[in-house]
Amino acid sequence: DPGHFQYNAVATGLALWSFHFMTLPSFASCAVGAVLFCLSLNFKQTALYYAPAAFAYLLGRCTNHGVPAFLARVALLGAAVLSTFLALWWPVAAL
């Protein structure tokens, strides 16, 4: 059924772009990758298959520079994820 599976390409494309941004040297690009992964996850829940790997990779990127940097990086990623979910689900929750 090509009509059904064409949506998988959108979610997979968003996930691949998120992985690209997560692997760039700048940590700010990890936040962009987290936003793109949240978009992929909210578009089609099959992106949950990739979620443990994305979580582990981003957590590993947070742990390289000491406790204050770890907390700042986790806070940045948390803000990116929460703001993305809030922006996507606010219209539904407001009903």
Side-chain angles (χ1 to χ4, degrees):
D1 178 19
H4 173 75
F5 291 108
Q6 70 185 356
Y7 296 109
N8 290 343
V10 174
T12 304
L14 285 168
L16 287 173
W17 275 109
S18 75
F19 300 147
H20 166 73
F21 279 99
M22 288 178 194
T23 58
L24 292 177
S26 168
F27 189 78
S29 63
C30 284
V32 174
V35 168
L36 289 171
F37 191 77
C38 288
L39 291 175
S40 172
L41 183 60
N42 280 280
F43 187 81
K44 193 153 175 88
Q45 288 79 20
T46 55
L48 278 171
Y49 290 115
Y50 317 128
F55 173 77
Y57 181 78
L58 289 174
L59 186 63
R61 289 283 306 260
C62 290
T63 59
N64 294 337
H65 303 286
V67 174
F70 171 78
L71 294 175
R73 289 177 172 208
V74 168
L76 175 66
L77 290 177
V81 169
L82 289 175
S83 63
T84 303
F85 272 86
L86 184 65
L88 290 173
W89 287 98
W90 183 262
V92 177
L95 293 177

